[in-house]
Amino acid sequence: MGTPDRTAAAHRVMRQDDNGNRFPVARGLTRPAAEAMAAEFEARGHKQLYWIEPDDADPAAR
């Protein structure tokens, strides 16, 4: 997976499991780094849903 780019912290990668629980996977990433990480997890074929959002967003409000 490589080292995440945290130089312009702005986004995080989120995951939702089969039961609807949402968890942060990584925080403080640039948008391209977050997109790449989410795409890598999606490519693994897991049933979970992965997405990115601004790192200042409140996960409980979603």
Side-chain angles (χ1 to χ4, degrees), residues 6-49:
R6 298 182 187 274
T7 57
H11 290 80
R12 66 179 164 214
V13 178
M14 297 291 294
R15 174 180 70 101
Q16 181 172 312
D17 66 17
D18 295 340
N19 297 316
N21 299 308
R22 297 175 180 201
F23 304 96
V25 175
R27 298 184 68 163
L29 303 172
T30 61
R31 183 177 180 96
E35 289 173 343
M37 182 179 285
E40 183 175 337
F41 283 120
E42 290 269 334
R44 292 181 183 178
H46 292 254
K47 292 182 180 179
Q48 289 83 10
L49 171 68

